Amino acid sequence: MRGVGRLVRRSLDHCRTCGGSLFPSHLVSRRLLFSSSRTSSWLVIGSRSSILSSNSETLPSSSLLPRKGTLFTGQRRNMFIQTQSTPNPSSLMFYPGKAVMEVGSADFPNARSAMNSPLAKALYGIDGIARVFFGSDFVTVTKSDDASWDLLKPEIFAAIMDFYSSGQPLFLDSKTAAAMDTAIHEDDSETVAMIKELLETRIRPAVQDDGGDIEYRGFDLDTGIVKLKMQGACSGCPSSSVTLKSGIENMLMHYVPEVKGVEQELDAEDEDTTLAGQME
């Protein structure tokens, strides 16, 4: 199972390291990238789109800084995304060829601030992204100092393509956002906020790769136990205990010292299913 495997590998990786930021590079899933030294074409494995990038093609622009075009051939539509340099070498502008913000702009200085925007959250799911900004017809992405644009660009292109193909809104409405189990509320402690952020941005995508999901059910400050509910394919999966212990529990305990363990919470129908399976 790909998602379970990724979580286990992540937990093993971060157990070998000490210190570092809250979300070090080895926590983030990487798509396999193949490039040719003779061409500038990229093929992204694990995405719904194939990407052909022409670094030598400069398109006319009113800006003094030229834009470079990238043609996407996806399952649902074709998309031509242009990129443009900025005075900051760590920032790059991406033009999807359509409006981004209808009014004003939006800045996401960290992953937590991006929780209400599917596109910003997807971009923060890429290793090496330090900041995201939405303008009228562009998205500015800022990378960390140790990240390489050669590796980041295909991931960013794929994230933008996938977002526009999905039909999702740029921002979740307040009611939808508040209803999310991992929505961070004003009365949440810093510990709970960190747990929710890890679950939403790092753990949930891996579990969803296996056709399931997780639901945050609460955190007991006295015992240090995080309660989760496994959903979808993961609810009756034999390896769900491996996912909880070797993946989710290890990761949460490593980055949130207050967490002492993770337990799965079962509803009545889940308990009946489990009991029936044991009797058989």
Side-chain angles (χ1 to χ4, degrees), residues 22-278:
L22 178 61
F23 301 123
S25 60
H26 55 266
L27 280 184
V28 186
S29 63
R30 294 179 181 270
R31 295 183 176 94
L32 298 178
L33 300 177
F34 294 89
S35 65
S36 169
S37 59
R38 292 174 296 177
T39 68
S40 57
S41 297
W42 290 89
L43 175 63
V44 179
I45 307 299
S47 171
R48 290 194 297 270
S49 58
S50 298
I51 300 176
L52 298 176
S53 175
S54 176
N55 292 328
S56 61
E57 180 181 359
T58 301
L59 301 179
S61 172
S62 58
S63 170
L64 295 177
L65 299 174
R67 298 182 188 176
K68 297 178 181 179
T70 301
L71 174 64
F72 294 83
T73 304
Q75 291 181 354
R76 298 185 182 180
R77 67 181 72 177
N78 292 338
M79 193 170 190
F80 192 78
I81 297 178
Q82 299 177 65
T83 62
Q84 181 174 308
S85 302
T86 72
N88 180 359
S90 295
S91 296
L92 197 61
M93 300 170 71
F94 294 81
Y95 290 82
K98 55 187 66 182
V100 179
M101 291 285 295
E102 294 183 0
V103 178
S105 61
D107 189 27
F108 306 93
N110 51 55
R112 186 172 300 178
S113 63
M115 299 282 278
N116 197 37
S117 171
L119 176 57
K121 187 174 68 175
L123 291 171
Y124 266 110
I126 302 171
D127 181 19
I129 301 301
R131 197 182 192 103
V132 175
F133 177 83
F134 293 163
S136 59
D137 61 347
F138 65 89
V139 176
T140 298
V141 177
T142 302
K143 70 179 184 65
S144 57
D145 293 335
D146 58 346
S148 168
W149 281 123
D150 289 339
L151 294 178
L152 288 178
K153 280 183 181 179
E155 294 274 14
I156 296 171
F157 293 151
I160 295 175
M161 171 70 181
D162 289 349
F163 168 75
Y164 280 103
S165 296
S166 70
Q168 296 182 88
L170 188 63
F171 296 96
L172 300 176
D173 61 73
S174 57
K175 290 183 179 180
T176 302
M180 294 174 57
D181 59 299
T182 51
I184 298 176
H185 305 289
E186 293 182 359
D187 57 346
D188 284 339
S189 65
E190 182 63 20
T191 298
V192 170
M194 291 174 65
I195 291 171
K196 288 181 175 181
E197 186 174 348
L198 272 171
L199 289 173
E200 180 65 25
T201 62
R202 294 296 182 263
I203 297 173
R204 172 165 276 160
V207 176
Q208 289 177 339
D209 275 354
D210 288 331
D213 203 350
I214 53 173
E215 180 182 342
Y216 173 76
R217 288 295 185 90
F219 171 67
D220 190 320
L221 183 60
D222 295 331
T223 62
I225 299 297
V226 176
K227 294 186 177 182
L228 302 174
K229 173 179 168 55
M230 306 298 286
Q231 297 178 324
C234 295
S235 61
C237 177
S239 61
S240 61
S241 59
V242 177
T243 306
L244 281 173
K245 297 297 180 183
S246 299
I248 300 174
E249 182 177 86
N250 285 349
M251 185 179 294
L252 290 178
M253 289 175 62
H254 185 80
Y255 292 103
V256 187
E258 293 82 358
V259 174
K260 305 303 179 185
V262 174
E263 292 182 357
Q264 182 174 185
E265 193 169 82
L266 299 175
D267 293 333
E269 58 270 21
D270 296 323
E271 293 177 350
D272 292 340
T273 302
T274 302
L275 181 59
Q278 293 174 348

